[in-house]
Amino acid sequence: MNKTILEVNGLSTKYITRFREDVYAVRNVSFKVEEGHSLGIAGESGCGKSTLALSLMGYYFAPLHYISGDIIINGKNISGLKPDQVRKNVLGTEIAYIPQAAMNALNPTRKVIRFIEDVMYAHGSKMSKKEIYDLARERFEILNLPADTLHKFSVELSGGMKQRTVIAISTILSPKVLIADEPSSALDVSSQKMVIKMLHDLMDLGFIKAMLFITHELPLLYNVTDDIMVMYAGQIVEKGSKDQMIFDPIHPYSKGLMGSILVPEDGTRNIKLTAIPGTPPNLKNPPTGCSFAERCKYATSRCKVYDVEYTELEGGRGSRCLKPEHELRGLYDDGKVDFSNE
């Protein structure tokens, strides 16, 4: 059994609006990621994916606030650390984050090598500029990035090159965990392929020990990750292997997500896309029972009343539903859900 690199227990965080209203964006989330494994996090916009990513770094700044829970990276609990301790001893070394629209994160007036120097010195490096350059050149070449990229400004790079350069800079200190938040969005297919290959290379070469890949594109996760976790309304609703989640999801929301997209592996002929009815709940006042109950075709009155706990099922998967696994499977014909209003 591989070593657990990232362990999250009961993590809850919230946003406080300028009107002093609480928005509970991440609610009692728990999961583990082992060394050498990658976990995909999926869900529709506003489900809490990016907020979870920010929360996992343990570096909170308004309007995001910590409520409770533990974040353990490589055996170290970072939840109780002060912001300056997190910035110096955790970010970049224990955990690194590739934000959405990362290609826009580079200052166009500075060369790439300057960003790398800043990262190294911000974490107490005693290396000379020449030593930093030699390290950066070696790392870039290993990751199939031309060494002359280090001498260029961001405006001289294509979108795909910018994205891969940001990934290389963010992982220059070989963090234990890399969080990639929609790293291939807004890129053409060939650039997406290069970004995904680079992330796999980082894992294979041991520069990172584990990865979280966030996207709303479930089929993309099949080619990137080992396991997939689906979020809804700030909670985990289902988690399993990529094969289980893509080809045999059991939670009604996961079923709905898969029913609303085309999976090339299944073929696309005569497939009717369906939509999930309704809208997500307002997280200023989270529902008492199941968060998905108002949109679920199979919800009963008790689903809207009783709190739904995430339950581990057989085969290493889990689900947040009042119905046991055998009942969930019995609801559907041939494992498919029809969320249409017909």
Side-chain angles (χ1 to χ4, degrees):
M1 184 174 181
N2 292 334
K3 175 183 178 182
T4 297
I5 291 295
L6 174 65
E7 181 176 354
V8 181
N9 297 315
L11 180 63
S12 295
T13 61
K14 67 181 180 181
Y15 290 106
I16 300 179
T17 71
R18 60 193 181 96
F19 302 109
R20 309 306 298 172
E21 298 172 308
D22 292 335
V23 180
Y24 299 95
V26 174
R27 302 188 292 149
N28 194 29
V29 168
S30 300
F31 64 93
K32 295 180 181 180
V33 183
E34 296 181 347
E35 182 175 348
H37 282 246
S38 55
L39 172 66
I41 303 177
E44 61 192 311
S45 296
C47 71
K49 303 186 301 294
S50 294
T51 302
L52 174 62
L54 293 172
S55 301
L56 290 176
M57 295 188 294
Y59 190 66
Y60 300 97
F61 49 91
L64 180 62
H65 296 267
Y66 170 81
I67 299 177
S68 61
D70 296 315
I71 305 164
I72 303 170
I73 303 175
N74 201 32
K76 303 174 185 176
N77 193 336
I78 68 170
S79 303
L81 298 180
K82 296 180 180 179
D84 58 335
Q85 293 176 309
V86 174
R87 185 178 180 87
K88 184 177 180 179
N89 302 319
V90 176
L91 300 183
T93 54
E94 298 296 324
I95 190 167
Y97 176 55
I98 309 297
Q100 293 187 41
M103 64 181 69
N104 299 323
L106 298 174
N107 186 330
T109 66
R110 307 192 72 199
K111 292 183 178 181
V112 171
I113 187 61
R114 300 285 92 83
F115 293 106
I116 296 175
E117 290 173 354
D118 288 347
V119 169
M120 300 295 288
Y121 292 139
H123 291 84
S125 174
K126 302 300 182 181
M127 298 173 66
S128 66
K129 288 189 175 183
K130 183 181 184 306
E131 290 172 327
I132 292 176
Y133 173 77
D134 290 339
L135 171 66
R137 183 192 62 205
E138 180 181 0
R139 178 66 63 86
F140 270 49
E141 289 177 344
I142 289 175
L143 295 174
N144 295 314
L145 285 167
D148 62 358
T149 304
L150 296 168
H151 299 290
K152 292 184 177 181
F153 296 95
S154 62
V155 293
E156 299 178 86
L157 306 176
S158 66
M161 282 293 293
K162 286 180 185 177
Q163 187 72 298
R164 289 189 290 148
T165 296
V166 170
I167 293 173
I169 294 172
S170 299
T171 58
I172 195 70
L173 295 171
S174 299
K176 305 295 188 302
V177 180
L178 175 65
I179 304 175
D181 192 353
E182 302 273 10
S184 61
S185 62
L187 297 177
D188 58 75
V189 175
S190 61
S191 295
Q192 285 184 349
K193 184 177 180 180
M194 286 188 287
V195 166
I196 291 172
K197 182 182 183 303
M198 183 176 185
L199 292 172
H200 279 300
D201 288 344
L202 286 167
M203 290 278 290
D204 294 340
L205 294 168
F207 294 142
I208 58 175
K209 300 298 183 183
M211 178 176 67
L212 274 64
F213 191 101
I214 299 173
T215 184
H216 60 276
E217 301 179 65
L218 275 167
L220 177 62
L221 292 178
Y222 187 79
N223 297 308
V224 180
T225 63
D226 301 301
D227 302 303
I228 297 175
M229 182 170 76
V230 173
M231 290 189 68
Y232 180 76
Q235 298 176 312
I236 300 173
V237 295
E238 187 175 357
K239 180 177 179 292
S241 71
K242 62 182 181 181
D243 286 311
Q244 291 171 334
M245 298 300 294
I246 296 297
F247 300 112
D248 186 31
I250 59 175
H251 191 281
Y253 178 64
S254 302
K255 290 272 189 178
L257 287 181
M258 286 307 303
S260 63
I261 57 177
L262 294 174
V263 181
E265 289 81 359
D266 282 345
T268 58
R269 182 175 298 178
N270 299 323
I271 292 180
K272 178 182 178 182
L273 294 179
T274 58
I276 303 175
T279 58
N282 186 341
L283 293 184
K284 292 179 184 178
N285 297 292
T288 303
C290 174
S291 298
F292 189 61
E294 292 296 332
R295 306 173 71 184
C296 182
K297 183 177 179 178
Y298 302 99
T300 64
S301 58
R302 70 187 186 120
C303 294
K304 302 177 182 181
V305 175
Y306 295 103
D307 187 24
V308 183
E309 295 292 335
Y310 179 83
T311 304
E312 293 289 341
L313 305 173
E314 292 183 2
R317 69 192 311 184
S319 178
R320 184 182 294 275
C321 190
L322 285 174
K323 293 182 177 294
E325 183 179 7
H326 69 275
E327 288 188 26
L328 282 171
R329 293 183 181 279
L331 288 175
Y332 316 113
D333 295 328
D334 299 324
K336 295 182 179 179
V337 179
D338 181 9
F339 278 92
S340 68
N341 293 320
E342 299 179 354

